[in-house]
Amino acid sequence: MSKWIQVLWPSFLVAGIAEIVFFTLIDPQELYLLGEPVHLSETATYSIGFFGFWLACAASSLSTLFFQRTAKDINAPH
């Protein structure tokens, strides 16, 4: 449980900051996806954007935990 908290909580905070910065600079009604305008409500666009940022930040935090393992942890018998 502790490892999940170490991954999800910091990534949640950074995703919130990324969302604020991104949508301060870009209007959600002017977004394009694959050359087509996005026809979603602003709330849906904000929500999808937040979860996308959270997923990317969680992947980053998870990879950090993965690469912090020692040789002893990796080679320990299960």
Side-chain angles (χ1 to χ4, degrees):
M1 183 66 149
S2 164
K3 296 287 185 187
W4 286 110
I5 293 170
Q6 290 175 355
V7 169
L8 294 178
W9 182 241
S11 61
F12 177 84
L13 295 175
V14 174
I17 293 168
E19 169 115 3
I20 290 168
V21 171
F22 183 82
F23 286 115
T24 297
L25 300 173
I26 296 174
D27 182 15
Q29 296 302 317
E30 295 180 5
L31 287 177
Y32 282 82
L33 182 63
L34 302 174
E36 297 292 324
V38 176
H39 297 294
L40 297 173
S41 69
E42 287 186 8
T43 304
T45 305
Y46 290 140
S47 299
I48 293 168
F50 174 77
F51 285 115
F53 284 128
W54 195 7
L55 181 64
C57 294
S60 173
S61 296
L62 192 59
S63 66
T64 299
L65 283 180
F66 177 78
F67 288 119
Q68 281 184 334
R69 297 181 306 164
T70 64
K72 188 176 182 178
D73 294 336
I74 294 170
N75 296 321
H78 295 277

